[in-house]
Amino acid sequence: MGNSAIVEPMTFWLALTELYGKLGATVLVGWILGQYLPRSVAHQLGVFLFWIGVPLGVMIFLRRADLSGAIWVAPVVAWAAIALGAGLAWLWSRYQPFPHSRSTGTFMLASMFGNTGYLGYPIILTLLGEEYFGWVIFYDLFGTTIGAYGFGSLFASWFNPEMPQQSPRIAVLTALRNPIWWCFGLGLGLRSLTFPLPIEQGLHTVGWAVISASLVLIGMRLSQLTSWQHSRSVGVSVAIKMLLVPLGLGVGLRSLGFQGALLLALVLQIAMPPAFATLVVSEAYDLDRELAVTAIALGSLALLLTLPLWLLIFPVP
């Protein structure tokens, strides 16, 4: 299962170099801005991207994405990654118990949910183009978004008995209130329409501007992370999330017939660093914020080393 490569190998590695340049430059701009601008600016940018920017970008790129084939497999893979990450994290926590259950909760959340939106979107768009963006969106929306803000919230409440328990129905409804779903439906509805070339080019420019703003936000938030506590536990969590789970599922998917650019797109989504949702949920449910902060920072740095690894293990022919 899967399609042939959309770029030649040399062009593919040049695309990786281009990606590093884009990631490094844009995140660095955000990091510098985060050092000098009030913290409220990052919050306001985050609110804009949550309500308008990212949903708009999804709508724009979804119109051009290929939704043919067994695209429903993407959420199945996402939930398999979440379950495997949770299982491995639970086993480690039994072997090396944390002093507080709240730390255990954050450790498991960081091992389960990746940054498949703000980072996954630009990485796969740059390396593989728009052909596989439909798979990326289905993975992110029906896997990470529902998982982190729905199941993740319910999961977090188990590790802090002082917080009011949330029913599964309320947790899922909370995740579905994310405005990205509205633009997902709108993007599906607009796929049959053809706009004049200037409008199409303008929409494409807006879509990439949103991607750039997302990377700037990541840089701003990273500049505000000051804690590197729990380095040993975080190292294990990042290894589970960014090495063991993608390697295991990647090999499994390849044995099932997935290959080429499609296989790599799925592996890269699985291998994204811990999501900012880990920090959001940990703060909302009074779990271990410091551990979440450290996991996000370390995972974001580790991404620079793990990306070439997956290109070597799961090459595009």
Side-chain angles (χ1 to χ4, degrees):
M1 186 179 296
N3 297 313
S4 60
I6 60 174
V7 291
E8 295 297 326
M10 182 60 68
T11 305
F12 192 78
W13 285 98
L14 288 175
L16 178 63
T17 303
E18 176 189 353
L19 172 65
Y20 272 40
K22 288 180 178 178
L23 287 177
T26 316
V27 172
L28 178 61
V29 168
W31 189 87
I32 294 173
L33 292 176
Q35 292 290 312
Y36 295 100
L37 295 178
R39 295 179 67 92
S40 60
V41 174
H43 172 73
Q44 292 166 359
L45 179 58
V47 170
F48 167 78
L49 289 173
F50 179 84
W51 286 103
I52 299 175
V54 172
L56 182 61
V58 166
M59 182 194 71
I60 291 171
F61 289 115
L62 182 62
R63 289 188 61 251
R64 301 159 58 116
D66 181 7
L67 300 184
S68 61
I71 199 170
W72 56 268
V73 172
V76 175
V77 174
W79 281 100
I82 292 170
L84 182 56
L88 293 174
W90 181 83
L91 288 175
W92 175 263
S93 68
R94 298 303 92 190
Y95 172 71
Q96 291 285 343
F98 290 91
H100 304 289
S101 62
R102 296 175 182 180
S103 297
T104 304
T106 296
F107 175 80
M108 294 187 68
L109 288 173
S111 304
M112 294 161 63
F113 304 111
N115 195 339
T116 55
Y118 290 150
L119 273 177
Y121 290 178
I123 286 174
I124 293 176
L125 282 170
T126 300
L127 291 179
L128 301 175
E130 298 176 9
E131 182 177 353
Y132 297 97
F133 193 64
W135 289 76
V136 174
I137 291 177
F138 272 61
Y139 188 107
D140 180 54
L141 292 187
F142 295 99
T144 304
T145 299
I146 290 181
Y149 293 105
F151 175 75
S153 298
L154 178 66
F155 182 83
S157 68
W158 295 341
F159 287 92
N160 187 355
E162 299 177 6
M163 297 293 294
Q165 297 295 305
Q166 189 178 47
S167 71
R169 176 177 174 273
I170 296 299
V172 172
L173 288 177
T174 299
L176 292 178
R177 291 193 187 103
N178 190 321
I180 203 171
W181 292 99
W182 313 338
C183 286
F184 175 77
L186 186 58
L188 290 177
L190 293 176
R191 285 175 61 82
S192 60
L193 299 180
T194 302
F195 296 126
L197 183 59
I199 295 180
E200 287 284 1
Q201 292 175 337
L203 289 173
H204 194 263
T205 300
V206 170
W208 277 103
V210 168
I211 294 295
S212 298
S214 299
L215 294 174
V216 168
L217 177 62
I218 289 175
M220 295 179 72
R221 285 180 169 172
L222 288 177
S223 74
Q224 297 167 355
L225 302 182
T226 57
S227 171
W228 287 91
Q229 298 183 27
H230 310 290
S231 56
R232 181 169 180 268
S233 300
V234 166
V236 173
S237 177
V238 169
I240 290 172
K241 177 68 191 67
M242 301 180 66
L243 291 175
L244 297 182
V245 173
L247 179 61
L249 290 183
V251 171
L253 289 170
R254 186 159 58 186
S255 68
L256 292 175
F258 288 82
Q259 58 185 336
L262 175 56
L263 174 60
L264 181 60
L266 291 173
V267 169
L268 289 177
Q269 280 292 78
I270 298 169
M272 285 298 106
F276 279 105
T278 300
L279 178 58
V280 173
V281 174
S282 294
E283 289 182 331
Y285 287 85
D286 195 23
L287 299 183
D288 194 330
R289 181 186 182 278
E290 299 300 325
L291 194 152
V293 165
T294 310
I296 292 169
L298 182 61
S300 298
L301 294 174
L303 181 65
L304 298 176
L305 300 177
T306 57
L307 271 180
L309 176 66
W310 303 123
L311 301 184
L312 291 170
I313 297 177
F314 303 101
V316 177

